[in-house]
Amino acid sequence: KMSEVSEVMTKPDIKPKSMHRAKIWSDDVENLYRFQQAGYRDEVEYKQVKQVDEVECWPETGFVKKLQRRDNTFYYYNRQRECEDKDVHKVKVYVY
């Protein structure tokens, strides 16, 4: 999974080809939920905007731990799941 993101990252300002909404919860959907709460499409856009190589994640779960919004305030996330079933359908999954 990381290699895909790294591959996409090498191209400046890459745009997704398509988008669909998540239907069931997964680790990937959880992380997308966190990026989208902070105002980004996904990890790719976050890394482009913030010019960072790594996103801070919880070692136990692999979920995103902390994100910096565009206005430079920080969002901190729990190590457990935060995206509830009722919110799963709001998560946008982008395809590159």
Side-chain angles (χ1 to χ4, degrees):
K1 194 185 119 222
M2 285 313 288
S3 60
E4 263 179 61
V5 172
S6 312
E7 222 173 273
V8 171
M9 285 306 302
T10 56
K11 304 178 186 110
D13 283 345
I14 184 137
K15 297 278 183 275
K17 290 192 196 67
S18 64
M19 182 277 285
H20 61 274
R21 299 224 178 235
K23 302 226 178 353
I24 53 167
W25 184 88
S26 70
D27 290 359
D28 289 341
V29 168
E30 177 66 38
N31 279 333
L32 283 169
Y33 174 77
R34 294 172 184 216
F35 282 110
Q36 288 166 21
Q37 266 197 322
Y40 301 93
R41 255 194 330 255
D42 51 22
E43 186 175 347
V44 175
E45 188 186 36
Y46 181 77
K47 287 179 172 179
Q48 284 171 349
V49 172
K50 287 297 169 193
Q51 300 289 302
V52 292
D53 293 330
E54 282 306 307
V55 175
E56 221 175 299
C57 294
W58 290 105
E60 308 85 10
T61 57
F63 295 151
V64 174
K65 185 176 187 177
K66 156 180 120 175
L67 291 173
Q68 192 175 12
R69 290 185 0 186
R70 291 170 197 265
D71 63 5
N72 292 332
T73 56
F74 283 93
Y75 272 1
Y76 295 92
Y77 298 100
N78 295 326
R79 49 170 68 75
Q80 293 87 21
R81 172 178 174 174
E82 288 195 14
C83 178
E84 295 178 38
D85 282 335
K86 67 178 172 57
D87 294 324
V88 167
H89 73 280
K90 297 178 188 167
V91 176
K92 296 174 181 175
V93 181
Y94 292 92
V95 180
Y96 291 92

